[in-house]
């Protein structure tokens, strides 16, 4: 296989609602602190969207799309090695594998959003995330059920992240088809959601300033 | 061969440590994809003949350089608890500042161990796969963890030192540039090992030979060649290598386990100190006979007479 070129797809992910991609909490939980923290960079402690979340969500939505040709009858990622999903995102399992064409980088918070959230941290004590309380309604009494109250961290709406995707194109690859396929995946995420709890409104995103450029 | 330094800035975390043989393997795949398998075969043939075009060091955090294996063996002036304590402290020193490194290189092993640096952070992240029918996670086997590494906040870049044969500079830089577009190591497709190159290749004079040197210290893990020096100090690691690129899908993507000497190993040399030691290891992959393992040592002249 001969590598013909690299194509970059860049853009800005704008959170139209709170975004929650769960992380693990190291050390001791402070009194009153949330147990359900978001994912943060281990060194800078800034929230980010992992490339694995963006790629995984794109792939799963494209696999459930009727025209993809992917085989998902058992609920697992497609491993046929022949459909476009397997070609672009990599075949799940060992059979019929090819080089994965797509590289989805971690999406880091934009300078603009970092400034806004730092100001909020200094003025309001917000630690780069809002704390959202949720509960369960007791179906008989119509009030909050005992034990149903919990808190969740999520990145506030309005926060923006830089998106950076690279495509490796080999001889024989149909560039237009692959680029359009990735665009479709991004479009599907905007209609669906990113992260967790999408059915209750979390993770609605909009991708702005989408650009496709040749790299080398 | 001239010595250069390349600074790279990781864009996030990475799963694969910046070991010279792994970096070399990644560059070889770039060469194969860009210029074809025959070009790569010619390139590797020179390595098998002991005539490498480029010798790499492992990736070092910032300006730091590794502590040599013989550092903790320095003969203390006094015996007893204080000497024992100091030797134990020196054993824990992983990285040295350039100034201390030069001092150690010149044979002065009486350093302040408090100047050790915490340069890399290792942590665990949780990942899961989405069930394509339910759209949620949580079923058996869908949750898994990965061990990741990142530079600590105090370090801005990783340094890779290179000894390059004249005329190869542009090509080597182009290979790294291409590697920066694909990412390095495991899980590239989800952004792990993404990096930028800072600036260009910089000529580096910090490892020049000096009067009184009588040995070398390796800045990369390596496999000694038949006639390499044997009188020295070293640690070992067992490398469980894997095939990369398309070879990952050959059914048995594992190399045979290989014992290597680690960076920081140092050996006494009679006569001139060569720019590199070590060799390529052949017949390392059971199902791909053409695969070789990079085992060259990036040698830095040192003085070992006090040990």
């Amino acid at each position: 296989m001969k590598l013909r070129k690299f194509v970059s797809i860049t853009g800005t992910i704008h959170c139209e609602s709170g975004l929650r991609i769960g992380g693990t909490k190291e050390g001791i939980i402070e009194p009153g602190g949330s147990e359900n923290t978001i994912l943060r960079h281990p060194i800078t402690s800034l929230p980010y969207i992992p490339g694995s979340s963006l790629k995984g969500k794109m792939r799963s939505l494209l696999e459930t799309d009727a025209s993809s040709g992917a085989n998902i009858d058992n609920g697992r990622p497609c491993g046929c090695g022949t459909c476009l999903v397997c070609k672009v995102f990599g075949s799940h399992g060992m059979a019929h594998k090819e080089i994965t064409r797509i590289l989805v980088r971690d999406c880091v918070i934009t300078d603009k959003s970092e400034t806004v959230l730092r100001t909020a941290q200094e003025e309001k004590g917000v630690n780069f995330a809002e704390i959202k309380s949720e509960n369960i309604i007791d179906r008989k009494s119509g009030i909050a059920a005992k034990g149903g109250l919990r808190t969740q961290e999520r990145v506030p709406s309005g926060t923006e992240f830089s998106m950076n995707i690279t495509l490796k194109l080999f001889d024989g690859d149909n560039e237009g088809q692959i680029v359009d396929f990735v665009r479709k995946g991004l479009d599907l995420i905007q209609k669906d959601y990113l992260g967790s709890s999408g059915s209750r409104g979390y993770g609605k995103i909009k991708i702005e300033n989408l650009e496709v450029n040749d790299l080398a | 061969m001239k010595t250069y330094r390349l600074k790279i800035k990781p864009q996030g975390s990475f799963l694969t440590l910046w070991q010279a043989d792994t970096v070399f393997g990644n560059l070889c795949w770039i060469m194969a994809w860009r210029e074809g398998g025959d070009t790569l075969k010619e390139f590797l043939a020179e390595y098998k003949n002991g005539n490498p075009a480029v010798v790499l060091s492992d990736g070092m955090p910032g300006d730091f350089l590794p502590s040599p294996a013989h550092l903790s063996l320095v003969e203390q002036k006094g015996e007893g608890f204080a000497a024992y304590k100091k030797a134990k402290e020196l054993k824990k020193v992983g990285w040295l500042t350039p100034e201390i490194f030069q001092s150690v290189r010149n044979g002065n092993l009486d350093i302040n161990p408090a100047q050790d640096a915490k340069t890399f952070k290792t942590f665990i992240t949780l990942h899961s796969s989405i069930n394509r029918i339910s759209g949620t996670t949580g079923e058996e086997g869908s949750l898994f963890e990965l061990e990741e590494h990142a530079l600590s906040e105090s370090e801005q870049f990783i340094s890779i030192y290179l000894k390059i044969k004249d005329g190869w500079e542009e090509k080597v830089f182009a290979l790294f540039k291409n590697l920066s577009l694909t990412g390095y190591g495991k899980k590239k497709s989800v952004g792990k090992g993404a990096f930028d190159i800072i600036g260009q290749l910089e000529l580096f004079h910090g490892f020049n030979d000096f009067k009184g040197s009588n040995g070398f210290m390796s800045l990369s893990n390596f496999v000694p060649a038949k006639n390499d020096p044997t009188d020295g100090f070293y640690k070992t690691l067992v490398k469980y290598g894997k095939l990369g690129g398309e070879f990952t899908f050959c059914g048995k993507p594992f190399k045979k386990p290989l014992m290597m000497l680690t960076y920081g190993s140092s050996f006494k040399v009679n006569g001139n100190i060569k720019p590199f030691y070590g060799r390529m290891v052949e017949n390392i992959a059971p199902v791909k006979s053409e695969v070789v393992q990079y085992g060259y040592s990036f040698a830095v002249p040192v003085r070992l007479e006090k040990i």
Side-chain angles (χ1 to χ4, degrees):
Chain A
M1 290 178 84
K2 213 155 186 187
L3 181 62
R4 189 155 45 89
K5 66 194 290 197
F6 291 97
V7 172
S8 90
I9 301 176
T10 56
T12 306
I13 295 176
H14 180 93
C15 298
E16 293 198 319
S17 67
L19 171 71
R20 175 173 163 72
I21 297 174
T24 47
K25 181 128 184 155
E26 287 184 4
I28 301 164
I29 298 167
E30 301 88 354
S34 175
E35 289 177 33
N36 301 312
T37 56
I38 55 163
L39 184 69
R40 293 168 196 270
H41 188 278
I43 308 296
T44 62
S45 296
L46 291 171
Y48 70 101
I49 300 172
S52 56
S53 293
L54 192 59
K55 184 189 168 206
K57 187 71 188 190
M58 230 192 306
R59 177 179 180 140
S60 71
L61 289 171
L62 283 167
E63 283 178 346
T64 50
D65 186 77
S67 62
S68 73
N71 176 15
I72 52 164
D73 291 346
N74 56 6
R76 291 172 180 251
C78 182
C80 73
T82 52
C83 69
L84 198 52
V85 177
C86 285
K87 184 170 185 172
V88 176
F89 289 85
S91 174
H92 192 75
M94 286 307 291
H96 315 298
K97 275 206 161 186
E98 272 198 57
I99 298 288
T100 305
R101 270 38 172 208
I102 195 169
L103 310 165
V104 186
R105 315 285 193 211
D106 288 349
C107 304
V108 295
I109 198 163
T110 60
D111 291 344
K112 188 176 126 194
S113 286
E114 187 184 341
T115 307
V116 170
L117 291 174
R118 274 201 195 284
T119 308
Q121 188 183 35
E122 285 159 14
E123 293 178 356
K124 299 174 185 169
V126 175
N127 187 19
F128 292 94
E130 60 178 315
I131 306 282
K132 185 172 179 295
S133 298
E134 298 183 343
N135 63 34
I136 297 168
I137 298 169
D138 185 302
R139 266 57 178 173
K140 281 185 184 170
S141 65
I143 58 172
K146 194 176 179 184
L149 185 67
R150 75 267 179 187
T151 55
Q152 308 242 57
E153 263 194 347
R154 58 180 203 173
V155 176
S157 61
T159 308
E160 292 181 339
F161 297 88
S162 302
M163 184 190 76
N164 188 342
I165 295 171
T166 304
L167 293 174
K168 277 189 293 195
L169 298 173
F170 293 89
D171 275 347
D173 285 349
N174 184 332
E175 181 179 343
Q177 185 191 34
I178 291 175
V179 170
D180 286 347
F181 194 59
V182 176
R183 278 180 187 270
K184 188 177 182 180
L186 293 171
D187 188 47
L188 288 171
I189 295 181
Q190 292 177 81
K191 289 175 181 156
D192 203 82
Y193 64 92
L194 188 62
S196 68
S197 311
S199 68
R200 57 188 116 119
Y202 289 34
K204 180 167 170 49
I205 61 160
K206 191 177 175 188
I207 299 174
E208 296 168 339
N209 311 320
L210 193 70
E211 280 187 30
V212 180
N213 290 304
D214 286 1
L215 280 176
Chain B
M1 278 184 145
K2 291 195 186 80
T3 303
Y4 297 86
R5 173 155 88 160
L6 188 70
K7 290 179 185 170
I8 58 180
K9 184 174 175 57
Q11 288 175 356
S13 56
F14 43 89
L15 270 65
T16 306
L17 293 171
W18 294 81
Q19 294 179 342
D21 55 327
T22 317
V23 176
F24 184 81
N26 277 246
L27 294 177
C28 285
W29 274 107
I30 296 284
M31 184 181 273
W33 286 333
R34 279 299 202 185
E35 299 171 47
D38 290 340
T39 310
L40 178 64
K41 275 181 192 162
E42 286 170 27
F43 177 70
L44 291 176
E46 291 296 306
Y47 278 80
K48 290 181 198 169
N49 295 334
N51 185 26
V54 54
V55 177
L56 304 165
S57 78
D58 283 21
M60 314 281 167
D63 292 325
F64 283 95
L65 290 156
S67 160
H70 63 271
L71 188 64
S72 61
L73 302 174
V74 58
E75 194 177 338
Q76 300 297 324
K77 285 177 184 172
E79 289 185 358
F81 181 71
Y84 167 77
K85 192 179 168 198
K86 179 154 190 185
K88 199 165 180 183
E89 284 171 348
L90 285 170
K91 203 172 178 181
K92 291 179 191 167
V93 175
W95 300 101
L96 306 176
T97 62
E99 298 75 28
I100 295 177
F101 182 77
Q102 289 303 337
S103 174
V104 169
R105 208 157 81 84
N106 279 278
N108 173 24
L109 304 183
D110 191 17
I111 66 162
N112 180 4
Q115 297 191 27
D116 183 24
K118 300 281 177 278
T119 47
F120 290 111
K121 182 172 180 178
T122 300
F123 51 93
I124 301 289
T125 53
L126 283 174
H127 299 258
S128 59
S129 63
I130 301 170
N131 184 301
R132 269 54 177 169
I133 296 169
S134 67
T136 61
T137 60
E139 289 180 9
E140 194 178 339
S142 69
L143 192 68
F144 58 97
E145 56 182 38
L146 295 174
E147 187 182 78
E148 302 187 14
H149 312 277
L151 267 183
S152 66
E153 207 163 12
S154 58
E155 301 309 317
Q156 298 299 311
F157 57 88
I158 288 173
S159 299
I160 294 179
Y161 298 94
L162 310 104
K163 294 189 182 186
I164 306 177
K165 236 168 40 174
D166 287 347
W168 278 83
E169 293 84 352
E170 266 185 39
K171 189 159 195 168
V172 169
F173 188 70
L175 288 173
F176 270 100
K177 207 71 186 159
N178 271 276
L179 185 61
S180 74
L181 299 176
T182 69
Y184 166 77
K186 282 184 219 165
K187 295 278 178 192
K188 292 188 271 281
S189 71
V190 293
K192 299 303 162 196
F195 68 93
D196 290 323
I197 293 175
I198 304 174
Q200 299 285 321
L201 282 174
E202 302 165 11
L203 265 175
F204 188 81
H205 301 291
F207 304 142
N208 290 346
D209 203 357
F210 58 93
K211 199 178 172 185
S213 63
N214 63 349
F216 78 92
M217 171 184 159
S218 180
L219 293 194
S220 57
N221 300 332
F222 73 107
V223 180
K226 193 176 176 186
N227 298 319
D228 279 354
T230 54
D231 183 11
F233 310 89
Y234 55 87
K235 289 178 187 166
T236 58
L237 69 84
V238 179
K239 187 96 183 184
Y240 296 92
K242 280 173 78 178
L243 304 178
E246 292 102 299
F247 285 4
T248 312
F249 318 130
C250 68
K252 286 185 179 170
F254 303 102
K255 293 180 182 175
K256 294 172 190 167
L258 175 70
M259 184 176 281
M260 301 182 85
L261 305 189
T262 64
Y263 65 83
S265 297
S266 43
F267 288 88
K268 288 182 183 171
V269 176
N270 290 321
N272 291 336
I273 296 159
K274 295 186 341 192
F276 56 84
Y277 291 86
R279 64 185 169 103
M280 296 303 268
V281 180
E282 298 183 57
N283 300 318
I284 187 80
V287 295
K288 291 282 178 188
S289 58
E290 68 269 42
V291 170
V292 290
Q293 168 80 25
Y294 177 89
Y296 275 100
S297 155
F298 185 106
V300 176
V302 291
R303 185 169 175 161
L304 290 167
E305 66 189 5
K306 286 190 177 177
I307 307 294

PDB file of all heavy atoms in Angstrom, chain A residues 193 196-202:
ATOM      1  N   TYR A 193     -26.163  12.951  19.824  1.00  0.00           N
ATOM      2  CA  TYR A 193     -25.519  13.626  20.965  1.00  0.00           C
ATOM      3  C   TYR A 193     -24.131  13.046  21.192  1.00  0.00           C
ATOM      4  O   TYR A 193     -23.803  11.976  20.670  1.00  0.00           O
ATOM      5  CB  TYR A 193     -26.358  13.481  22.251  1.00  0.00           C
ATOM      6  CG  TYR A 193     -26.502  12.072  22.743  1.00  0.00           C
ATOM      7  CD1 TYR A 193     -25.611  11.538  23.675  1.00  0.00           C
ATOM      8  CD2 TYR A 193     -27.531  11.257  22.279  1.00  0.00           C
ATOM      9  CE1 TYR A 193     -25.733  10.240  24.130  1.00  0.00           C
ATOM     10  CE2 TYR A 193     -27.658   9.943  22.731  1.00  0.00           C
ATOM     11  CZ  TYR A 193     -26.760   9.441  23.653  1.00  0.00           C
ATOM     12  OH  TYR A 193     -26.876   8.150  24.103  1.00  0.00           O
ATOM     13  N   SER A 196     -22.565  11.284  27.474  1.00  0.00           N
ATOM     14  CA  SER A 196     -23.642  10.489  28.076  1.00  0.00           C
ATOM     15  C   SER A 196     -24.921  11.297  28.238  1.00  0.00           C
ATOM     16  O   SER A 196     -24.919  12.516  28.060  1.00  0.00           O
ATOM     17  CB  SER A 196     -23.182   9.960  29.443  1.00  0.00           C
ATOM     18  OG  SER A 196     -23.051  11.036  30.340  1.00  0.00           O
ATOM     19  N   SER A 197     -25.989  10.597  28.579  1.00  0.00           N
ATOM     20  CA  SER A 197     -27.274  11.188  28.969  1.00  0.00           C
ATOM     21  C   SER A 197     -27.884  12.060  27.889  1.00  0.00           C
ATOM     22  O   SER A 197     -28.522  13.083  28.188  1.00  0.00           O
ATOM     23  CB  SER A 197     -27.113  12.002  30.270  1.00  0.00           C
ATOM     24  OG  SER A 197     -26.446  11.244  31.241  1.00  0.00           O
ATOM     25  N   GLY A 198     -27.716  11.681  26.650  1.00  0.00           N
ATOM     26  CA  GLY A 198     -28.258  12.467  25.534  1.00  0.00           C
ATOM     27  C   GLY A 198     -29.766  12.503  25.521  1.00  0.00           C
ATOM     28  O   GLY A 198     -30.367  13.504  25.105  1.00  0.00           O
ATOM     29  N   SER A 199     -30.415  11.433  26.018  1.00  0.00           N
ATOM     30  CA  SER A 199     -31.889  11.416  25.958  1.00  0.00           C
ATOM     31  C   SER A 199     -32.499  12.443  26.894  1.00  0.00           C
ATOM     32  O   SER A 199     -33.674  12.762  26.787  1.00  0.00           O
ATOM     33  CB  SER A 199     -32.411  10.017  26.280  1.00  0.00           C
ATOM     34  OG  SER A 199     -32.158   9.715  27.628  1.00  0.00           O
ATOM     35  N   ARG A 200     -31.696  12.930  27.864  1.00  0.00           N
ATOM     36  CA  ARG A 200     -32.241  14.016  28.706  1.00  0.00           C
ATOM     37  C   ARG A 200     -31.569  15.341  28.410  1.00  0.00           C
ATOM     38  O   ARG A 200     -31.458  16.215  29.260  1.00  0.00           O
ATOM     39  CB  ARG A 200     -32.193  13.644  30.170  1.00  0.00           C
ATOM     40  CG  ARG A 200     -30.848  13.282  30.708  1.00  0.00           C
ATOM     41  CD  ARG A 200     -31.010  12.764  32.116  1.00  0.00           C
ATOM     42  NE  ARG A 200     -30.620  11.375  32.222  1.00  0.00           N
ATOM     43  CZ  ARG A 200     -29.623  10.961  33.017  1.00  0.00           C
ATOM     44  NH1 ARG A 200     -28.968  11.803  33.748  1.00  0.00           N
ATOM     45  NH2 ARG A 200     -29.329   9.702  33.078  1.00  0.00           N
ATOM     46  N   GLY A 201     -31.036  15.465  27.213  1.00  0.00           N
ATOM     47  CA  GLY A 201     -30.626  16.790  26.745  1.00  0.00           C
ATOM     48  C   GLY A 201     -29.146  17.082  26.792  1.00  0.00           C
ATOM     49  O   GLY A 201     -28.701  18.123  26.316  1.00  0.00           O
ATOM     50  N   TYR A 202     -28.366  16.190  27.358  1.00  0.00           N
ATOM     51  CA  TYR A 202     -26.917  16.454  27.423  1.00  0.00           C
ATOM     52  C   TYR A 202     -26.298  16.286  26.030  1.00  0.00           C
ATOM     53  O   TYR A 202     -26.820  15.571  25.171  1.00  0.00           O
ATOM     54  CB  TYR A 202     -26.225  15.424  28.317  1.00  0.00           C
ATOM     55  CG  TYR A 202     -26.473  15.515  29.804  1.00  0.00           C
ATOM     56  CD1 TYR A 202     -27.679  15.927  30.325  1.00  0.00           C
ATOM     57  CD2 TYR A 202     -25.484  15.129  30.693  1.00  0.00           C
ATOM     58  CE1 TYR A 202     -27.880  15.961  31.705  1.00  0.00           C
ATOM     59  CE2 TYR A 202     -25.681  15.155  32.064  1.00  0.00           C
ATOM     60  CZ  TYR A 202     -26.897  15.572  32.560  1.00  0.00           C
ATOM     61  OH  TYR A 202     -27.104  15.598  33.907  1.00  0.00           O
TER      62      TYR A 202
END
